Amino acid sequence: MTRHIRHAAAFCALLLVALLVNATRVQVVDSQAYDDNPANRRTAIARYDQPRGDILVDGEPVTGAKDTGEQLRYERTYRSGPLYAPVTGFASQVYGTTFLEHAEDDVLSGTDPMLAPLPLWNDITRARNPGGEVVTTIRAAVQRAAYAGLGGKKGAVAALDPATGKVLALVSTPSYDPERLAGTGSAVTGAWAGLNADPDKPMLNRALSQTYPPGSTFKVVTAAAALDAGEVTDLDADTRSPAPYTLPGTTTRLANEVEGCANASLRYAFQWSCNTVFAKLGVDTGQDAMAGTAKKFGFDTPGLRIPSPVATSTFDTAMDDAQLALSAIGQYDTRATPLQMAMVSAAVAGGGSVKAPYLVDRTTTDDGDTVASTGTRTLRQAMNPGTAVQLRELMTDVVEKGTGRNAAIEGVTVGGKTGTAQHGIGNAGTPYAWFIAWAQEPGDAEPSVAVAVVVEDASADRSDISGGGSAAPIAKAVMEAALR
């Protein structure tokens, strides 16, 4: 009898050990798989059981939370949603997160372990911290000026502090209200379907995610390559450029929109945007030097994040001379985001140094203690400092007496470059109007703002579109707001 009891006890002990082993497997080894299982509602319920942390502009929240009292309790709200949508993105209980809401989701949702009072505290207690806050570099007045300047037009604006890389404004129009995508009801699914079906693509972040042919604004890069390579040594010397210019190896003749471009100096050609001079200059400078300089500015360099991802701007590295000529004036396959062209302008303003752009100044706990901060970081030297000085002189001439006079600000030194980019089959599309610029207050050692503006404006008359006419006034308003 005693032997049977011992056997039964041993069997019960074995069952207990098996139960403990299985519980350990479920709670430790397989816990992440159960947490990630789409059928597990506990994660979603816990995620929305507390408000998300806020995204701040000028110290004030541009986001909030609404208590619905439902199972997924808190929904995201947005103040001036369309104005800040390219910055915040959306946080949807159905469609996930985008832009800062996505890039800083761990902080905003309270899951970042750096928010915990002690290391490993959350792993032990399985607790969730209150959502932290994301303090942006955006300045509200600059953002509003860019949004108002674009008005109802399709386009984008990116503004930077050349000395630090801080993003001062990031606007894309037409925009949308991200609050329409918060919640779980039929209104949300209807809003999602409508926004995605809209031919104007209001959810497309044109400042970060869309690339355009940069047109004549790319002549800043071409001039930098030519000056650094020694192809041009005197800004006022004749360039031996015919007008019109026959593209190498073809019978295609490239013309200009203005007179006086034949054998024009680099100064005149830059001031009045002579295509023939810059096309020939690109060919004379050569594929390797052109591609190398473009790469130093940030072209063909994937992986840029601010922390939201930025589309890669491109300059083809395998072209014949005719294609190189067109690429040198920002056509053919050359493509750039507005943020990239703001970086080009900022590099000229900053002595040739390309600073890493960033949108988040710091992240904090819910009571304001700093979790992480972003510092100024130099990505690369795009050109010699002497070349940057020469380009600032050329860009100043554009605004003071050339194609960019609509960007002039009284009492302020402004440099700029206009661009009108052809696109579409046979260049039949309405041209994109570009303007890149920087502004420097009297007494300041360096410019304090650099900006890029692109206007699509498919409804405008083709003959009325130009960088100086459509985009320069917007850049002026943005720079004035930044200087204030």
Side-chain angles (χ1 to χ4, degrees):
M1 187 65 171
T2 303
R3 182 168 60 86
H4 293 302
I5 293 174
R6 284 200 304 269
H7 289 170
F11 182 66
C12 289
L14 182 62
L15 290 177
L16 180 60
V17 170
L19 183 63
L20 292 173
V21 169
N22 187 59
T24 301
R25 179 185 64 81
V26 170
Q27 296 183 17
V28 179
V29 179
D30 294 338
S31 62
Q32 192 62 48
Y34 286 114
D35 284 344
D36 295 340
N37 192 313
N40 181 8
R41 295 275 292 170
R42 291 178 64 253
T43 301
I45 292 170
R47 176 182 178 86
Y48 297 108
D49 195 44
Q50 66 179 25
R52 284 173 73 79
D54 282 321
I55 298 172
L56 276 60
V57 171
D58 284 348
E60 297 294 328
V62 296
T63 57
K66 178 174 65 176
D67 188 349
T68 65
E70 299 176 358
Q71 190 177 58
L72 302 182
R73 183 173 174 183
Y74 285 96
E75 293 179 3
R76 196 56 146 167
T77 61
Y78 294 87
R79 179 169 62 85
S80 302
L83 174 62
Y84 292 110
V87 176
T88 63
F90 62 75
S92 170
Q93 292 162 317
V94 178
Y95 301 109
T97 54
T98 58
F99 299 111
L100 274 190
E101 293 278 26
H102 180 74
E104 299 293 350
D105 183 64
D106 287 351
V107 171
L108 295 167
S109 64
T111 59
D112 190 326
M114 295 298 292
L115 297 171
L118 295 171
L120 303 179
W121 178 259
N122 289 356
D123 292 337
I124 296 170
T125 64
R126 305 289 288 179
R128 181 186 290 262
N129 299 299
E133 294 185 335
V134 174
V135 181
T136 72
T137 59
I138 295 292
R139 288 175 52 190
V142 185
Q143 185 82 358
R144 286 194 297 268
Y147 189 79
L150 284 169
K153 304 181 183 73
K154 289 183 187 177
V157 175
L160 301 172
D161 180 341
T164 63
K166 290 182 178 180
V167 179
L168 306 179
L170 199 68
V171 169
S172 174
T173 56
S175 189
Y176 71 104
D177 187 353
E179 192 168 330
R180 296 176 61 194
L181 301 178
T184 58
S186 59
V188 171
T189 55
W192 176 260
L195 288 168
N196 279 285
D198 191 329
D200 288 338
K201 299 181 180 179
M203 288 198 295
L204 172 63
N205 191 329
R206 289 170 164 85
L208 299 181
S209 305
Q210 178 75 359
T211 60
Y212 301 87
S216 292
T217 58
F218 191 80
K219 291 172 183 174
V220 174
V221 179
T222 301
L227 289 164
D228 270 359
E231 192 61 39
V232 175
T233 56
D234 184 349
L235 300 182
D236 296 301
D238 290 348
T239 55
R240 301 184 304 281
S241 304
Y245 172 61
T246 302
L247 298 179
T250 76
T251 57
T252 302
R253 289 155 63 96
L254 184 67
N256 299 292
E257 298 293 330
V258 295
E259 300 294 329
C261 291
N263 298 318
S265 67
L266 183 61
R267 186 186 303 278
Y268 184 91
F270 197 94
Q271 181 178 326
W272 295 105
S273 206
C274 295
N275 286 332
T276 53
V277 172
F278 279 91
K280 182 176 182 296
L281 193 59
V283 174
D284 292 344
T285 302
Q287 170 79 52
D288 291 344
M290 285 291 296
T293 299
K295 190 174 182 66
K296 290 176 185 177
F297 274 101
F299 288 80
D300 299 317
T301 307
L304 180 64
R305 305 181 72 90
I306 64 169
S308 303
V310 181
T312 303
S313 299
T314 56
F315 181 84
D316 203 331
T317 56
M319 298 179 282
D320 60 30
D321 282 350
Q323 294 163 341
L324 178 59
L326 293 175
S327 295
I329 60 172
Q331 298 289 167
Y332 185 54
D333 283 344
T334 306
R335 307 280 298 188
T337 63
L339 180 66
Q340 173 61 64
M341 294 314 296
M343 292 169 65
V344 168
S345 182
V348 175
S353 176
V354 179
K355 298 295 191 294
Y358 63 97
L359 187 55
V360 175
D361 185 64
R362 65 188 184 278
T363 55
T364 73
T365 62
D366 65 313
D367 54 5
D369 294 332
T370 298
V371 172
S373 59
T374 308
T376 298
R377 182 167 58 93
T378 300
L379 292 177
R380 59 191 72 86
Q381 187 74 19
M383 68 195 108
N384 294 325
T387 296
V389 171
Q390 291 176 298
L391 280 171
R392 280 168 65 166
E393 185 179 333
L394 294 177
M395 292 179 75
T396 302
D397 286 345
V398 169
V399 174
E400 290 184 352
K401 48 193 175 186
T403 58
R405 281 174 285 190
N406 283 336
I409 301 172
E410 186 176 356
V412 176
T413 302
V414 178
K417 184 68 191 80
T418 55
T420 305
Q422 310 293 335
H423 68 101
I425 299 173
N427 290 333
T430 302
Y432 299 135
W434 278 94
F435 194 74
I436 64 173
W438 48 263
Q440 180 178 349
E441 289 268 34
D444 286 356
E446 298 289 339
S448 56
V449 59
V451 62
V453 178
V454 63
V455 180
E456 295 182 29
D457 204 355
S459 63
D461 184 84
R462 186 184 180 97
S463 63
D464 291 338
I465 294 181
S466 69
S470 300
I474 300 171
K476 175 183 178 180
V478 171
M479 291 186 290
E480 285 179 325
L483 296 175
R484 285 198 299 267

